Amino acid sequence: MTALVFLSVNLHSQDLPHSVGLAPVQDFTISPIATGFDASIGNRYFAQISSSPTFQFGKAFTESCTITNVGAPFAMTFPGGLLTRNGVVYTWNQNSPYQLWTIDTVTGAYTLLFNMYGGQLTNLTGMCWDGNELFGISTNLAQTAVYRINMTTGTWSSFGSSMECAGGITLLGRKGSQYSLFVPDIVTDNLFKIDKTTGVFTLVGPLGQNINFGQDGCVDPIDNTFYAMTYTTGPELRKLDTVSGNLGPVLCTYASQATGMTFRELSLPPNGALTTVCRTGINVSIPDHGTALDSVNLVLGPATNILDVNVRITNVTHTWDSDLTFYLRKGNVGALIINKAGGSGDNFVNTVLNDSAVIPIASGTAPFTGSFIPSSPLTPFNFMGGTGDGYWKLAITDTAGGDTGVLTGWCLIIKYEVYLGGIQTIEIPNYYFLNQNYPNPFNPVTNIKFGIPESGNVRLVVYDILGREVTTLLNEHKNPGTYEVKFDASYLASGIYFYSLQTERVTETKRMLLVK
């Protein structure tokens, strides 16, 4: 195997120079390449692993170093870390030519976005998106500078003073403009905090480890845990305490040198975090001493995290409610949500089963209108990573003879979040939506995804910056659903364009940038 070694160093001595590049070559192995996107990974991170002279993009479970490869290895002269911005995953070349690349998280394909310019100190060692601005750092192992990055022009603009931090490696920060940035220093093995307004570096404390080589890190958007890929005696993953500066114990070790990590971003759906999927106008018979079955099909997409599940029994007509049991099932997960409640009372009308309610269903009275704690918790249905998609089944069983009943309607009420950076859009078309194209900026192909909740004629039109129609991507009748259209702008000049979703009820327009 041909190896890239930028500096020959002693892994255990601070007296010799550090490297911001690759560590000395070990007996690296790469697992077989996996294709496609694992919809069950939930809140997990993307990783970039060195198999010198190529680099492998993949994904892993939180606090695990077992990488599932995505796509084929990619050759890059001096790769930086990974970052996620507005659902797009990026990596970069650390030294000249300073380049920014996008990575397709499904295919693993790398696409050159643009070259970057603006006073870098030899190596571009870290980038971080805080939801508002993109920041970067560079180092020459004598000083470190912090920059703001213009994602339209590719220019880096430095601000503040940086002499306190000699070898800044990896830029870490929480999403939110009010939070500081953090930089581990591989020369002094200290952690520094950077003020985003002034650019001032402030010493936090010692890392407690000799981390030797430039790696990467990221912040979990769920619990704001700071993770750092480090290299003491080998490539490893640790947690970082931003109060003391201390690196925690080794969580796991990588088979090859880890050069990048980023979590999928977390956002709420555009119309709030709740969606309701109902079966209405049905007449499902509940046989005497038998079972009635019905189901709803939930489609949120593989990048969703279900936080909470409630069930509403819109209407069940039946005498002697205590004869009935209600059982909800999704795949191998099930819960007995109503167990023979109500005594001799009749019917269930707008009965909501909610773990956060105050009154247990067993303490309620027919027809149980309102919210009640179910007989068994609904928390087992809180799925990660899209495993909630598919058929959810309701079984109502009459446990005694002498009467029959009918189910005329029921609903699932789902609270959920959406992870960006993978398959990121909401598939339930209970509202009109037009997503930001991805990638953006793009060259020359981008994807536009939209959803409609009802049938009708749909136009998807592209305009130039002067408002002139460039092309009509779609003009046809569509049924309710989620759709994705590919736009090839190879025949157009670089610049700003607009794309517009036009229906009988709504018109929505967004901007996109073509960079050639």
Side-chain angles (χ1 to χ4, degrees), residues 119-133:
Q120 293 88 349
L121 297 172
T122 311
N123 297 288
L124 306 182
T125 52
M127 291 190 193
C128 181
W129 169 251
D130 73 351
N132 183 47
E133 291 186 281

Side-chain angles (χ1 to χ4, degrees), residues 183-425:
V183 180
D185 185 341
I186 63 172
V187 174
T188 64
D189 288 325
N190 287 321
L191 181 69
F192 288 86
K193 179 169 65 175
I194 305 175
D195 186 293
K196 292 178 184 176
T197 302
T198 65
V200 172
F201 285 62
T202 302
L203 176 64
V204 177
L207 297 172
Q209 300 289 334
N210 176 359
I211 60 174
N212 291 296
F213 294 95
Q215 309 296 308
D216 197 23
C218 201
V219 182
D220 189 331
I222 295 292
D223 60 9
N224 294 316
T225 298
F226 282 67
Y227 290 88
M229 289 173 161
T230 59
Y231 198 112
T232 55
T233 59
E236 62 207 12
L237 183 65
R238 298 174 183 259
K239 291 183 181 180
L240 178 65
D241 187 333
T242 57
V243 176
S244 67
N246 186 256
L247 280 169
V250 175
L251 299 172
C252 57
T253 58
Y254 295 94
S256 303
Q257 185 181 0
T259 62
M261 75 176 296
T262 184
F263 283 89
R264 294 189 292 177
E265 291 177 285
L266 187 64
S267 70
L268 292 178
N271 282 7
L274 289 176
T275 191
T276 302
V277 186
C278 294
R279 288 275 288 162
T280 60
I282 59 175
N283 286 283
V284 180
S285 296
I286 305 172
D288 188 14
H289 220 169
T291 299
L293 295 173
D294 196 60
S295 63
V296 297
N297 188 17
L298 181 64
V299 187
L300 294 176
T304 51
N305 172 27
I306 294 179
L307 302 175
D308 189 44
V309 175
N310 296 335
V311 178
R312 182 170 72 232
I313 306 300
T314 307
N315 189 273
V316 165
T317 302
H318 193 281
T319 58
W320 288 90
D321 282 354
S322 61
D323 288 354
L324 300 180
T325 62
F326 293 69
Y327 192 82
L328 182 69
R329 175 173 289 279
K330 171 61 179 72
N332 294 324
V333 179
L336 182 62
I337 56 177
I338 302 177
N339 185 27
K340 301 180 181 180
S344 61
D346 300 337
N347 308 328
F348 291 82
V349 179
N350 288 324
T351 306
V352 177
L353 288 311
N354 182 354
D355 288 338
S356 300
V358 176
I359 303 172
I361 188 70
S363 301
T365 56
F368 297 99
T369 301
S371 293
F372 301 89
I373 302 171
S375 299
S376 298
L378 288 159
T379 51
F381 297 106
N382 294 348
F383 297 112
M384 300 287 286
T387 55
D389 283 5
Y391 286 97
W392 294 62
K393 300 176 181 179
L394 179 68
I396 305 175
T397 300
D398 183 344
T399 64
D403 48 9
T404 62
V406 62
L407 166 68
T408 58
W410 68 287
C411 304
L412 285 175
I413 305 167
I414 306 292
K415 183 179 180 181
Y416 62 103
E417 294 171 310
V418 179
Y419 290 91
L420 304 181
I423 302 172
Q424 63 190 52
T425 54

Side-chain angles (χ1 to χ4, degrees), residues 66-121:
T66 301
I67 305 298
T68 299
N69 295 340
V70 177
F74 179 75
M76 185 180 297
T77 56
F78 199 170
L82 296 176
L83 74 97
T84 304
R85 174 183 178 270
N86 293 343
V88 180
V89 175
Y90 299 84
T91 189
W92 60 92
N93 248 5
Q94 283 196 30
N95 62 1
S96 183
Y98 305 109
Q99 299 170 320
L100 188 66
W101 299 73
T102 63
I103 305 175
D104 188 309
T105 58
V106 176
T107 66
Y110 287 66
T111 301
L112 178 62
L113 187 59
F114 50 58
N115 288 354
M116 297 182 289
Y117 310 92
Q120 293 88 349
L121 297 172

